[in-house]
Amino acid sequence: MCKRYIGGPHGQSGVVFDRNESLPDYYLLRFPGGNSRFCVCERDSIQQECSLRSRHINDLSFIFSVFERGAAAVGLDFLSHIFWDKYLEFEEKKEAYDRIVKILERIIRIPMHQYARFFEKYQQLSATRPVKELLNPETYVEYESEIRAQPLQSEPVSENEDQPATSAQVSEKTDEQVEAEIRARIHQINVDVYMRTQEETNKRWVFEAEIKRPYFHVKPMDEPQLSNWRRYLDFEEEANDEHRVQVLFERCLVACALHEEFWQRYGKWLQSKNRKLDALGVFARATSVFIPANRPSIRLAYALLQEEQGQIEEARTLYKNLLEAVPGHVETLVKYAHFERRQNSGDVTEIFASNIVSPLLDERTKAFLTVQYANYLWHNQLSVEKARDIYEQASSKYLDNKYFWLNYLNFELAQNDNGAEQNIIDVFELIRNTATIPVDTLRDINLRYIDFLAERGTSVSLLNKIESEVGALSTAAASQLATPAVSKKRAAEETYNQPTKQARFDSPAAQHAGVATSPQASAQPYYSNQPTQQYQYPTVAGAAQPYAYQYQQYGAAAAAAAPVIPTAGAWDYSQQTTATSAYQ
């Protein structure tokens, strides 16, 4: 017998099999049902598997189980008519017409391609079968009793025209009449089923017509088709038929296997249905085969779910492997640090401290990690002094980093101990004298300084001094706005009389644009404990973009240097590098 060798996936040992056995047959025998994480063509594989089993196996009960497993997996697929044809063909060879009727009753309720052909076949076959095969015993008894409870009345008759007619005679219906009425009821029910199926099919036909590539391909899919899959999934999720949604997700991932967004969406949907183990399986399929290691987003979601399910060591390994694949990826660093914090590990300090001095990170990223480290010491270790030391040590390193200075200021403003006033004043003076942040931002901080001194300060002389300095700066700025056609005095008056729209100082838009905020219109005092400003994780060499967790960028320089973001979820092949192309 001629043999040939085929290797296993990912370097696993191969097997020798019969030369006369086709590769699809071998594949189906090794990965029955197409449920393996290596399967990318589930519907076609199940159709071929059913055909293979019916040809080579004589155990009918086993073959029935294969077909039923296939029906559960892909029977609701819009293009599953080929599978159902094979199922019906097998039953027809066995002349199992009672089973054929039951199968057709299932098919005519499925919105699918060629639904009308199956309905016509069902109508023709049901007309030749005993009526008891068309209903379950309980329904048949119910229908029969209802019909027999309605007696058949004959027409009133009289012997001659001069005599009045006698009353109508009441008689029971014959079995043939009962069967005819039951068939009429069944026909009407089936017509209603057909109309509903037709309506549901037409709704889905809009999306099906736009699917140009239902098979797997290594080339990225174009945006119109991706958008169509998104809308199709939206439609099925809104219909809220869990089985149909899952079937569509599996079908979508055949064509969109290299697009991270659909794997993540599938996993999140399964989690929303409290199917956490199924979600773990989806993430495992995605990260082990299809999504390269330099796409951290889905791996971060995977690690979070592993942690939730108590798989702590697996989650820790995933974080570490991800940092090896994409060194210096800030989002992974922060999430890994907080993962260790939740495990009460002593590694959190080491993670922050080692990466703050890492040569792989730029100064902007180090400033962000410094703030995160200080917040950890403040909120989790409840050590205000340690957090203050971190800020003080870093204050000479990040003179031009607005994010650092604003968080340092908010940190001190949130304190209310005996030395809080002097510490806050020290930070304000440090910013005014040493920081090289934009002028508009410095003006906002000056206004916050005035508010603080007016509402929490104890030195009126310092308040007068700062108000005079800020007023002089405002006058100079207003003078620069005057045009030759308008006097400096008029320009200054218009500048000060024009109302200024108040923007929250912690708003990313306000900080990005450097909006001048009016203390009189402020919804809250400047010294209140404002939320930490969001942060846009910087691009790391070798990391493909975009990531699912996007943080608001800050600063005009950051906006100008923002990388061009490709289509969300698509696998951008141009960004694959030698260092990050390895799969996890």
Side-chain angles (χ1 to χ4, degrees):
M1 180 182 296
C2 183
K3 302 285 186 177
R4 57 179 170 174
Y5 177 86
I6 182 170
H10 284 268
Q12 296 177 15
S13 60
V15 295
V16 178
F17 67 102
D18 188 351
R19 180 80 176 183
N20 296 321
E21 186 178 20
S22 65
L23 283 174
D25 288 352
Y26 159 76
Y27 171 80
L28 293 168
L29 289 170
R30 187 165 190 190
F31 302 125
N35 292 325
S36 166
R37 62 183 183 178
F38 303 108
C39 178
V40 293
C41 48
E42 185 176 32
R43 185 184 65 248
D44 294 338
S45 68
I46 289 179
Q47 291 169 179
Q48 295 183 45
E49 178 185 9
C50 293
S51 177
L52 169 67
R53 303 291 190 184
S54 62
R55 291 198 310 266
H56 299 294
I57 299 177
N58 296 323
D59 186 351
L60 295 182
S61 62
F62 178 76
I63 297 175
F64 291 149
S65 68
V66 170
F67 274 112
E68 285 301 316
R69 183 157 51 89
V74 299
L76 298 182
D77 195 302
F78 193 82
L79 300 176
S80 61
H81 55 279
I82 299 177
F83 164 78
W84 289 113
D85 284 336
K86 288 185 180 295
Y87 199 173
L88 293 172
E89 178 185 352
F90 170 77
E91 296 291 359
E92 287 171 355
K93 289 180 180 179
K94 305 300 179 183
E95 297 183 354
Y97 295 107
D98 55 336
R99 291 179 58 85
I100 293 175
V101 170
K102 298 300 182 183
I103 294 171
L104 286 170
E105 286 179 350
R106 296 161 60 185
I107 298 174
I108 63 175
R109 289 169 168 78
I110 301 174
M112 60 185 297
H113 188 57
Q114 301 186 10
Y115 69 96
R117 175 170 64 84
F118 289 106
F119 183 80
E120 182 179 355
K121 187 171 185 176
Y122 173 72
Q123 290 288 82
Q124 294 173 355
L125 182 61
S126 62
T128 65
R129 303 305 301 167
V131 68
K132 290 186 177 181
E133 287 186 5
L134 307 180
L135 296 171
N136 60 57
E138 295 79 8
T139 305
Y140 179 82
V141 171
E142 178 184 351
Y143 284 0
E144 183 181 24
S145 61
E146 289 177 359
I147 293 172
R148 291 189 183 279
Q150 302 170 357
L152 180 65
Q153 294 184 350
S154 61
E155 294 292 333
V157 295
S158 62
E159 295 181 356
N160 55 61
E161 297 179 357
D162 297 333
Q163 294 180 353
T166 60
S167 59
Q169 296 181 352
V170 177
S171 62
E172 292 186 357
K173 295 179 180 178
T174 65
D175 292 342
E176 291 77 9
Q177 290 172 329
V178 171
E179 180 177 331
E181 291 195 29
I182 292 178
R183 286 188 180 276
R185 287 194 180 189
I186 294 174
H187 176 74
Q188 185 57 48
I189 292 173
N190 291 335
V191 169
D192 294 340
V193 169
Y194 174 82
M195 297 304 296
R196 288 195 299 271
T197 303
Q198 184 182 58
E199 181 183 359
E200 294 299 317
T201 301
N202 290 336
K203 290 178 182 178
R204 289 161 176 81
W205 209 290
V206 177
F207 305 108
E208 293 290 338
E210 296 297 323
I211 298 176
K212 308 301 182 185
R213 198 180 75 185
Y215 51 87
F216 173 79
H217 200 285
V218 295
K219 291 183 179 179
M221 188 171 289
D222 56 47
E223 181 57 32
Q225 290 195 65
L226 292 174
S227 178
N228 181 63
W229 279 114
R230 296 184 193 109
R231 289 185 286 106
Y232 202 173
L233 289 169
D234 290 340
F235 168 78
E236 289 292 3
E237 288 181 11
E238 186 176 351
N240 201 27
D241 186 330
E242 186 170 329
H243 194 185
R244 291 198 63 86
V245 175
Q246 182 171 359
V247 168
L248 184 61
F249 265 118
E250 293 292 345
R251 185 179 167 206
C252 170
L253 289 175
V254 172
C256 306
L258 301 181
H259 294 266
E260 184 181 25
E261 62 169 297
F262 296 105
W263 290 102
Q264 280 200 281
R265 180 170 179 171
Y266 191 13
K268 295 298 182 183
W269 177 79
L270 288 170
Q271 292 182 66
S272 71
K273 301 300 180 182
N274 201 29
R275 297 170 57 182
K276 304 298 179 65
L277 295 180
D278 291 338
L280 285 173
V282 167
F283 287 141
R285 288 162 55 192
T287 56
S288 62
V289 179
F290 301 106
I291 307 302
N294 66 338
R295 301 304 298 266
S297 179
I298 192 169
R299 286 171 171 78
L300 293 175
Y302 187 15
L304 199 63
L305 184 57
Q306 286 180 324
E307 180 185 358
E308 181 182 351
Q309 295 301 304
Q311 301 177 10
I312 304 302
E313 289 304 320
E314 291 83 349
R316 180 176 285 114
T317 300
L318 192 57
Y319 280 118
K320 292 181 178 180
N321 291 342
L322 186 54
L323 287 173
E324 291 179 2
V326 191
H329 185 250
V330 183
E331 184 179 2
T332 303
L333 286 171
V334 174
K335 290 184 180 296
Y336 178 38
H338 288 291
F339 163 80
E340 294 293 357
R341 173 183 60 79
R342 290 189 292 272
Q343 311 313 316
N344 296 319
S345 170
D347 297 338
V348 181
T349 299
E350 174 61 24
I351 293 172
F352 280 122
S354 61
N355 283 281
I356 287 175
V357 297
S358 171
L360 297 175
L361 304 180
D362 57 20
E363 294 302 309
R364 176 170 168 262
T365 303
K366 292 178 181 179
F368 169 75
L369 290 178
T370 299
V371 172
Q372 296 298 308
Y373 186 22
N375 286 340
Y376 164 74
L377 295 172
W378 176 23
H379 295 299
N380 299 106
Q381 292 194 359
L382 304 178
S383 177
V384 174
E385 291 302 323
K386 288 182 179 180
R388 181 175 288 119
D389 289 342
I390 294 296
Y391 278 119
E392 289 177 352
Q393 294 172 11
S395 61
S396 60
K397 300 178 182 178
Y398 312 120
L399 298 178
D400 60 345
N401 194 288
K402 181 171 67 174
Y403 176 82
F404 170 81
W405 288 112
L406 292 179
N407 280 276
Y408 187 8
L409 180 59
N410 288 335
F411 163 75
E412 292 294 358
L413 287 171
Q415 310 309 319
N416 198 28
D417 51 28
N418 294 332
E421 180 181 358
Q422 187 58 49
N423 290 329
I424 295 170
I425 292 174
D426 291 342
V427 174
F428 272 120
E429 293 296 336
L430 188 62
I431 295 173
R432 299 176 73 227
N433 296 327
T434 63
T436 57
I437 56 180
V439 175
D440 290 341
T441 303
L442 186 59
R443 179 176 180 272
D444 294 335
I445 291 176
N446 281 329
L447 294 176
R448 294 185 72 182
Y449 196 7
I450 292 174
D451 280 354
F452 166 76
L453 292 173
E455 299 175 14
R456 293 177 62 183
T458 57
S459 174
V460 67
S461 60
L462 182 58
L463 172 61
N464 285 329
K465 175 185 176 184
I466 300 302
E467 280 193 339
S468 300
E469 293 178 359
V470 173
L473 292 174
S474 300
T475 302
S479 301
Q480 296 177 0
L481 298 176
T483 62
V486 181
S487 68
K488 293 183 179 180
K489 179 179 179 181
R490 176 68 178 274
E493 291 174 351
E494 291 181 352
T495 300
Y496 284 109
N497 292 333
Q498 183 177 1
T500 302
K501 181 179 180 181
Q502 173 65 31
R504 286 175 56 88
F505 189 79
D506 59 342
S507 168
Q511 298 180 15
H512 176 77
V515 176
T517 55
S518 169
Q520 290 78 9
S522 178
Q524 65 176 6
Y526 284 114
Y527 56 81
S528 63
N529 185 17
Q530 302 185 27
T532 303
Q533 183 189 17
Q534 288 185 328
Y535 178 79
Q536 170 65 45
Y537 291 121
T539 304
V540 179
Q545 296 291 325
Y547 300 118
Y549 303 92
Q550 296 295 334
Y551 288 73
Q552 181 67 38
Q553 291 202 14
Y554 61 85
V564 177
I565 303 298
T567 304
W571 184 358
D572 189 350
Y573 291 81
S574 64
Q575 299 191 36
Q576 308 306 312
T577 66
T578 303
T580 59
S581 61
Y583 286 43
Q584 183 173 342

